[in-house]
Amino acid sequence: MAKPDRLIYLPLGGAGEIGMNMYLYGFGPEGAERFILVDMGVSFPTMESTPGVDLIMADPAWIQARADRLEAIFITHGHEDHVGALGLLWHRLRAPVYARRFTAALAKSKMERAGQPTDEVRQVDAWPHVVHAGPFTVGFAPIAHSIPESSALVIDTPVGRIFHSADFKADPTPLVGEPFDPAALRKIAEKGVKVLACDSTNVFNAHSGRSEASLIEPIGLLMQEAESLVVATTFASNVARLKTLAEAGRAAGRHIVVLGRAMNTMLKTAHAAEVIDDFPETLDPLDMDTVPRDRLLVLATGSQGERRAASAQLAQGRYMGLDLKPGDTFLFSSKTIPGNEMAVARILNLLSEKGVRVIDDSDGHYHVSGHANRPDLVTLQTLLRPKMLVPMHGEHRHLATHAALATERGIAAAVAPNGTMLDLTGDAPRIVDTVETGRVYLDGTVLIGAMDGVVRDRIRMALRGKVAVSVIIDERGRPVGGAWVEATGLPDNPKMRDGLEGALEAEVGRMLGRAKRTELDDDDALDASIQRAVARICNDAVGKKPVCTVMISRLEP
Amino acid sequence: MAKPDRLIYLPLGGAGEIGMNMYLYGFGPEGAERFILVDMGVSFPTMESTPGVDLIMADPAWIQARADRLEAIFITHGHEDHVGALGLLWHRLRAPVYARRFTAALAKSKMERAGQPTDEVRQVDAWPHVVHAGPFTVGFAPIAHSIPESSALVIDTPVGRIFHSADFKADPTPLVGEPFDPAALRKIAEKGVKVLACDSTNVFNAHSGRSEASLIEPIGLLMQEAESLVVATTFASNVARLKTLAEAGRAAGRHIVVLGRAMNTMLKTAHAAEVIDDFPETLDPLDMDTVPRDRLLVLATGSQGERRAASAQLAQGRYMGLDLKPGDTFLFSSKTIPGNEMAVARILNLLSEKGVRVIDDSDGHYHVSGHANRPDLVTLQTLLRPKMLVPMHGEHRHLATHAALATERGIAAAVAPNGTMLDLTGDAPRIVDTVETGRVYLDGTVLIGAMDGVVRDRIRMALRGKVAVSVIIDERGRPVGGAWVEATGLPDNPKMRDGLEGALEAEVGRMLGRAKRTELDDDDALDASIQRAVARICNDAVGKKPVCTVMISRLEP
């Protein structure tokens, strides 16, 4: 008997974490489903768990093994956690990429930088325009967020309609991009929504979200009252905020200067895509000194404390000819992402040392979130009246709380972290499989698997230090001239006359002198003995067991 | 002409950061002052800036060089950021240590564990009892905080009285330790306070602090309504909170179990010092299974997400025979210290995966701070009417804001981060010197300087990986058998047939083959050439320039 068709959902990234979004939908008989992939995003590394890594993305291995059944890739909007991995991973999947104009421009630049064919990115219009992709018909439904052309996906399948919210907020006046439009959403839901796959980021915020427009007054006042230079930082990709800030600056009679590559690129792309035509004219940074300080607004990258971004550079000293001074104002118009608090505090303190007045988001007057809060999530449920809710875009606790928010309102829901395959064919989501998922790192210029051990070794060296031992065994199998030891990142013990390296060389030398011929002949045995001796000596001397590399050179007869 | 006496203040730690408190006061002719030291605390390491480090403390080098003029060390209270470095650094200063009973017990255990003489810690009574220390007369004035016997210091000098607030909050009902007592403070100020050196931690909090007593009702309700097991975590040293939690548990008919070494030690010491006689009786963890789950309250260490603490262990799996289950409640009765957000979120998500109901401090119902907020700082100023205010215990931005809070009320103030020597003899603080300060790390079992380069090397290896190269030069100065390369923490380039190590060995081998005799004879030149080759190959192959160690072995004739 032929297997029946089924509709499945499988998150590969973004469900169980905030970042690196990558969601699969499939339709067809089990094992022969046709797929579409929604978003290919990145996350950013931390010293804590991913030192030295450049970017983190979901491992597409599962769909890569089934790439012949992948119909298309859809990018909902241009934020890095939705499009950042496209260029880096596209060659593993080789499916056509669909996005709206501005998002497509950003997606093409990702492809281009990675040496991938930009013509695989196809620009499409907003809903009701649709793309046919195997059993799926997909439209981009404009929805409010903090970057132009943010879109939810309306995914029609043979068994019903899926509304994939992507990132959104219930903002009637988002200032850039389309507003949250209840009438349009109700229309989309007219013939019934089977599944709402929904952003869970702000499920713990109990109050309705505020509009971007609510910032116009406080930011405007700040720009007017500031007695000298104003610097404002936010996410480079928060195009809405850049506009809010720039317009407030213009209204206060300030010239706008944009510092930082990411912000300039984003604005250039937005201008080219004609999504921010009314953005105030900007001044070349080289001309900053032609304008009095109290007539300047500098928009700077680095709201998360990034060490090389404009904000950090300005906090540290002169940057692009600009020195911050007492009387200047520095505005963080942004939320500090968990994990970045120390880096941001470092900048706040450097600015404090310069006598700069710092205004951060601690009182919530100068920033609003781009994501829907709990009451707004309920609003979307009410507008769409879905049969099922699949929480996505959140850590496990977000997904669990969001699922509970649906079930208590009579909507079937399931918590499905990465790798959890849901069957959505019936009236309630059903977990039908759990597949292995993982992460891929861009490490330098190379893609590696998170479990390859490379980063684990770096963390170990960071915690425990590193010892390299070189020994030479002569043609007759006898050690030549003791051992050479180099310790890196290990403290010395001041009580040791020849230091830790001296003590290690002495001990490994003694060990070699005592070693039996059979041990000296056996690389593995000798390596293990030296490792043990190094661990013991280091632990006794300084209380650490370092990562140890033993290099045994055998002279040939 | 003899130099006149002067009163100086010199923070060595805690001013310009939150943690590792260490403050000096001196009186006498310039260069011949007699000193007292207030507190010797630690800070905790982060993977970001201090990977592998065990504890961070202020470098006492400046006073160590003048240890013959140090009269005494005073410990204000038993928190780690005030007493944690005592045992580790005392041998550098060798001055008598004064503290109240409970604090002295904690201080003695620090001395004992470090092999230092415990009888150098002298137990003293509270103000109006005083200790004479050279030109200083010092009393311990009880003040509210979150640990028993917290004390401000009343420091009388020949030129007037200093009130050193230490950590405090304006709490009339702190539940353990003495309450904030306006009458007593007014009395201390009767004959005038010259200098108020004051806690700045919460200067950005605009509302008056809430009392520990305000937690009794919400925590009590939570303990009653929880349908099964309750686990609560807070700082082990927050003895007040432990008591609030335990009493709420008892009132709800729950048996109290304490999990984690730090909490058990703290409670044992508090019992021995008779500062928490009315603490509910606790149940041995081994007897947990004799009690129904809904009759248990577990107090667990690890509120900051520490990987080895009880909370993390419980979140990960079975610990001390206990498995958390759906229906259980886990309460974070604590603030997450900046930098620990990711570690705490990890635990929240692990608990969410287990179906445990998690309550964190995000709504502020289950935690109050131990530090005075802005209005409370003003209250203390009003009570003491000091001539001068010296903000301490804060990052630069806290100190600067706190100083402004004083000057706008007509009190002279100066921002004095670590190493800034203030002359307090006159009517306003005057910066008279800036001395070099630094940090000392406990790294394994050894004390090292922050600038020794050990930790810098570990961070470099964490970011860039490590390569060790071994080459052998024979008796006649010719390379033997190519080079041996070991790479650790570096990705491989899948396009390279023999991998990165193979490519490095080939390139170094080629380089050795081409090298002139003069280069082969010169260790430094050879080392530099190999380093360059390794950096170039690695950068081309994987986009990273690793830390590289070259070991050149020369065979002797």
Side-chain angles (χ1 to χ4, degrees), chain B residues 510-537:
Chain B
R510 267 194 300 277
M511 202 220 81
L512 289 173
R514 281 196 310 262
K516 294 203 181 100
R517 182 62 191 254
T518 48
E519 189 177 4
L520 289 172
D521 281 350
D522 179 345
D523 277 1
D524 291 343
L526 194 53
D527 186 299
S529 297
I530 293 174
Q531 296 265 7
R532 272 196 304 273
V534 166
R536 193 183 65 245
I537 294 289

Side-chain angles (χ1 to χ4, degrees), chain A residues 33-52:
Chain A
E33 298 91 347
R34 306 296 298 180
F35 294 102
I36 57 171
L37 188 64
V38 179
D39 289 336
M40 296 183 76
V42 293
S43 279
F44 298 95
T46 62
M47 188 69 188
E48 185 81 21
S49 57
T50 44

Side-chain angles (χ1 to χ4, degrees), chain B residues 286-342:
Chain B
L286 297 174
D287 296 331
M288 270 193 290
D289 55 2
T290 65
V291 175
R293 289 179 89 79
D294 62 355
R295 291 310 211 63
L296 263 185
L297 165 64
V298 173
L299 300 178
T301 53
S303 64
Q304 300 304 309
E306 301 93 328
R307 276 186 184 265
R308 290 177 195 168
S311 292
Q313 307 255 19
L314 285 169
Q316 268 154 346
R318 202 174 175 76
Y319 180 64
M320 299 287 282
L322 187 63
D323 262 324
L324 297 189
K325 294 178 184 170
D328 292 343
T329 300
F330 200 109
L331 171 64
F332 278 81
S333 182
S334 54
K335 187 198 157 203
T336 301
I337 303 289
N340 297 339
E341 289 82 359
M342 304 285 280

Side-chain angles (χ1 to χ4, degrees), chain B residues 96-141:
Chain B
V97 179
Y98 296 93
R100 289 175 70 193
R101 180 173 175 179
F102 173 58
T103 312
L106 294 168
K108 280 182 184 188
S109 82
K110 297 286 176 204
M111 293 288 273
E112 191 169 12
R113 254 194 272 169
Q116 303 300 329
T118 55
D119 57 1
E120 291 287 351
V121 178
R122 294 154 199 202
Q123 179 184 320
V124 294
D125 290 335
W127 173 266
H129 178 88
V130 292
V131 174
H132 297 282
F136 299 100
T137 305
V138 182
F140 288 80

Side-chain angles (χ1 to χ4, degrees), chain B residues 159-209:
Chain B
V159 295
R161 177 166 284 184
I162 299 166
F163 189 90
H164 182 99
S165 78
D167 293 5
F168 84 102
K169 58 174 176 170
D171 189 343
T173 49
L175 303 194
V176 310
E178 292 94 343
F180 186 77
D181 182 350
L185 292 166
R186 255 188 232 107
K187 191 132 193 285
I188 285 170
E190 244 168 24
K191 290 178 191 165
V193 168
K194 183 179 180 63
V195 180
L196 167 59
C198 194
D199 181 359
S200 310
T201 313
N202 279 2
V203 70
F204 291 117
N205 291 42
H207 304 289
S208 293

Side-chain angles (χ1 to χ4, degrees), chain B residues 373-433:
Chain B
N373 291 353
R374 190 152 68 221
D376 311 318
L377 295 171
V378 172
T379 299
L380 189 65
Q381 291 176 15
T382 308
L383 289 169
L384 297 178
R385 290 170 287 107
K387 278 214 182 68
M388 296 177 239
L389 185 129
V390 178
M392 56 173 190
H393 206 285
E395 299 169 9
H396 192 282
R397 59 196 171 119
H398 297 91
L399 306 183
T401 304
H402 196 179
L405 185 67
T407 50
E408 72 197 23
R409 304 183 68 252
I411 302 170
V415 176
N418 296 336
T420 309
M421 187 188 288
L422 293 182
D423 185 330
L424 304 173
T425 321
D427 287 331
R430 213 157 45 84
I431 296 175
V432 288
D433 202 356

Side-chain angles (χ1 to χ4, degrees), chain A residues 458 461 466-468 486-489 549, chain B residues 457 460-462 464-469 485-490 501 534 546-551:
Chain A
R458 291 208 293 262
M461 291 192 292
K466 175 76 169 41
V467 163
E486 290 274 354
T488 312
T549 297
Chain B
D457 283 351
R460 284 186 184 162
M461 290 193 292
R464 294 154 50 182
K466 175 76 171 45
V467 163
V469 182
V485 174
E486 289 274 354
T488 312
L490 277 165
E501 288 175 350
V534 166
V547 177
C548 179
T549 298
V550 178
M551 305 158 91

